[in-house]
Amino acid sequence: MNNISFLLIDDDQEQKDKFIETINEINQEDAMNNLTYKVVKTPEEAMVELYQNYFQAIIIDLKLKDEDNSVTDDEALSGNRLLNQILEKEMIPIVVITGFPNRVTDNINPEIVKVFPKDEPLYGVIKDLISKYSGSVFKIFGSRGKINENIKKLFWDVIPTHDDILSPLSPDKQETVIIRYISSWFSNKYMFDDKYLNVEPIEMYMFPNPIKQVCTCDIYKKNIGENSCEYYMVLTPSCDLANKKIDEVLLCKIKKYDDVQSFKAQLDVYNNEPNKSSKKAEKAKKDLSKWFRNSHSESLRYHFLPKVSRFSGGFVDFRSIVSLGYNRENGDIIDEAYIKVGVITESFKRDIVSRFSAYYHRQGQPEFNCDSVLNNL
């Protein structure tokens, strides 16, 4: 059921009539649609409605007039001022209908706030808003979404039980500790069930890393030609980076899938098999899954990184190491040819570091004379 409440902010009667007509049309198309609406004329009325009621989508006319009817520049337009106020208070799908698209405030993210000219058919606009609200992003981030629901649970049920731990800390330290605790709480809540949950490849990465300083498991890109680049991963220990005790940063090259021949051979077998349910395809898939889990007999020197839309993936090659100068003042790599593009998330970071360390801690032993051992047995 699409239970969606719209707020239309427009002082044009013709536009309001078109909006109401379109809402009624969409409701009549499908019994699952239950679209309701409220129409207001001024920014002042809009803010009252947003304070008193809960809406899932907003359509706003940019060229609204204030009570004093004064407009000095684009940012002073009443519609822009209202839009900025809404952006500060709400996480909600918004559409701007305007005869002056180039005068919309620069503060908006065009991926979230869509701008359409006055003659844009409202049917498509409203259907797009329904689709956006029905998606996972706004259901999670909205004022009644899962994040807000969990934040309330943390505030009322969890944080009060930690008062004896937090109270000895300074206010600044409390703030940092609480933020870190919330992050860990969310990770634990959604990463585990009775066992580790299956995760999607994108969950391994954060693009970009919000921390400017070099961090363990940062991913760097180096352009090596007009249309070619290489990727590297930082594997210097976190303690050295945090204390800025080093002069060089250690990075391992991320090899392309095609450069690891054993993996490529199995991937080709799977991709070239038309019937993915055949024994041949199933065997190749089973072999590939060992590479994905870093448990394949030939994957000791590598760590698998899945491909996502922003990153081509590959294998961290523990044998392919470079050292780059480190700027202790700003905590960054000195060589500007290396550009930070992302970082591995905490749930995956420890395993990479552990496997890298274990690779170079291999000791081995002299090989026994097989005949002698067998004779003794």
Side-chain angles (χ1 to χ4, degrees):
M1 177 70 75
N2 288 320
N3 293 305
I4 300 180
S5 180
F6 289 82
L7 177 64
L8 174 66
I9 312 164
D10 200 323
D11 54 4
D12 186 310
Q13 185 61 47
E14 182 180 352
Q15 193 75 359
K16 287 189 287 187
D17 292 341
K18 287 180 181 178
F19 169 77
I20 295 170
E21 181 182 328
T22 305
I23 290 286
N24 292 335
E25 179 186 351
I26 295 174
N27 275 333
Q28 291 168 6
E29 284 179 352
D30 190 338
M32 296 296 288
N33 289 331
N34 180 31
L35 311 183
T36 57
Y37 58 86
K38 182 76 176 182
V39 180
V40 297
K41 293 182 179 180
T42 67
E44 293 77 19
E45 291 175 331
M47 294 311 297
V48 170
E49 285 295 332
L50 287 168
Y51 176 77
Q52 293 180 341
N53 300 298
Y54 176 61
F55 298 94
Q56 284 84 33
I58 297 175
I59 299 177
I60 178 174
D61 177 10
L62 176 64
K63 201 166 184 178
L64 295 167
K65 295 290 192 298
D66 287 322
E67 290 177 351
D68 60 5
N69 199 31
S70 61
V71 175
T72 56
D73 57 40
D74 287 354
E75 290 300 324
L77 285 167
S78 61
N80 273 335
R81 292 206 304 273
L82 174 61
L83 187 53
N84 284 319
Q85 286 179 307
I86 293 172
L87 293 175
E88 288 177 5
K89 296 178 182 294
E90 299 284 345
M91 286 178 282
I92 186 171
I94 300 171
V95 161
V96 176
I97 303 287
T98 176
F100 306 92
N102 61 324
R103 301 191 72 183
V104 177
T105 176
D106 292 332
N107 294 332
I108 67 167
N109 184 329
E111 294 300 315
I112 297 177
V113 180
K114 298 295 184 182
V115 179
F116 294 104
K118 279 280 191 182
D119 57 358
E120 183 75 17
L122 282 173
Y123 182 90
V125 171
I126 293 172
K127 292 286 278 190
D128 185 59
L129 282 172
I130 293 171
S131 175
K132 271 192 171 52
Y133 180 74
S134 300
S136 58
V137 171
F138 286 102
K139 285 188 175 179
I140 292 171
F141 284 99
S143 56
R144 295 189 186 182
K146 280 192 173 293
I147 286 182
N148 194 48
E149 178 185 312
N150 282 308
I151 290 294
K152 287 177 181 176
K153 179 177 176 60
L154 276 163
F155 180 79
W156 292 111
D157 299 341
V158 179
I159 296 300
T161 66
H162 292 65
D163 186 59
D164 59 326
I165 301 172
L166 295 170
S167 55
L169 304 175
S170 67
D172 288 346
K173 191 66 175 176
Q174 281 189 23
E175 182 177 327
T176 303
V177 169
I178 290 171
I179 290 172
R180 286 201 296 251
Y181 183 85
I182 290 171
S183 175
S184 298
W185 189 86
F186 269 101
S187 178
N188 285 336
K189 180 176 176 65
Y190 290 102
M191 183 60 73
F192 294 95
D193 195 349
D194 294 328
K195 58 182 181 180
Y196 267 115
L197 302 178
N198 286 332
V199 298
E200 293 300 315
I202 190 59
E203 295 180 66
M204 190 173 191
Y205 311 106
M206 186 182 299
F207 298 108
N209 184 352
I211 302 172
K212 177 172 172 48
Q213 179 179 327
V214 178
C215 299
T216 303
C217 290
D218 271 344
I219 299 172
Y220 277 78
K221 179 175 76 170
K222 180 186 180 185
N223 293 320
I224 55 173
E226 189 172 337
N227 298 308
S228 184
C229 65
E230 296 175 338
Y231 289 95
Y232 296 82
M233 181 177 291
V234 174
L235 284 171
T236 297
S238 297
C239 55
D240 289 343
L241 292 169
N243 296 316
K244 298 184 179 179
K245 293 180 177 180
I246 54 173
D247 295 314
E248 292 181 322
V249 177
L250 184 150
L251 300 93
C252 286
K253 186 175 181 180
I254 299 173
K255 281 192 171 181
K256 297 177 181 178
Y257 296 136
D258 288 354
D259 293 336
V260 180
Q261 293 303 315
S262 297
F263 174 81
K264 182 180 184 300
Q266 288 302 316
L267 185 60
D268 287 343
V269 170
Y270 181 78
N271 286 336
N272 294 331
E273 180 61 34
N275 181 9
K276 301 305 181 187
S277 300
S278 69
K279 288 184 178 180
K280 188 175 182 181
E282 287 293 336
K283 183 179 182 303
K285 182 179 179 180
K286 185 177 180 180
D287 193 71
L288 289 168
S289 70
K290 292 179 181 179
W291 283 97
F292 302 159
R293 296 194 307 271
N294 300 297
S295 61
H296 194 277
S297 59
E298 297 185 43
S299 67
L300 186 64
R301 67 179 273 190
Y302 300 113
H303 195 98
F304 175 77
L305 301 176
K307 180 179 180 179
V308 293
S309 60
R310 295 189 180 185
F311 175 55
S312 57
F315 287 94
V316 183
D317 185 357
F318 298 146
R319 287 189 196 171
S320 184
I321 296 175
V322 297
S323 293
L324 301 175
Y326 178 72
N327 186 329
R328 293 191 183 189
E329 294 297 319
N330 62 20
D332 205 353
I333 290 173
I334 293 173
D335 190 338
E336 295 181 355
Y338 290 80
I339 303 165
K340 184 191 290 197
V341 294
V343 67
I344 301 297
T345 53
E346 292 298 327
S347 299
F348 296 90
K349 193 179 286 189
R350 289 186 294 273
D351 188 42
I352 296 176
V353 174
S354 175
R355 294 190 69 246
F356 174 65
S357 176
Y359 183 76
Y360 283 100
H361 274 83
R362 293 171 299 151
Q363 297 298 318
Q365 65 176 25
E367 188 172 340
F368 288 116
N369 183 305
C370 185
D371 291 334
S372 295
V373 172
L374 289 173
N375 285 335
N376 292 337
L377 291 173

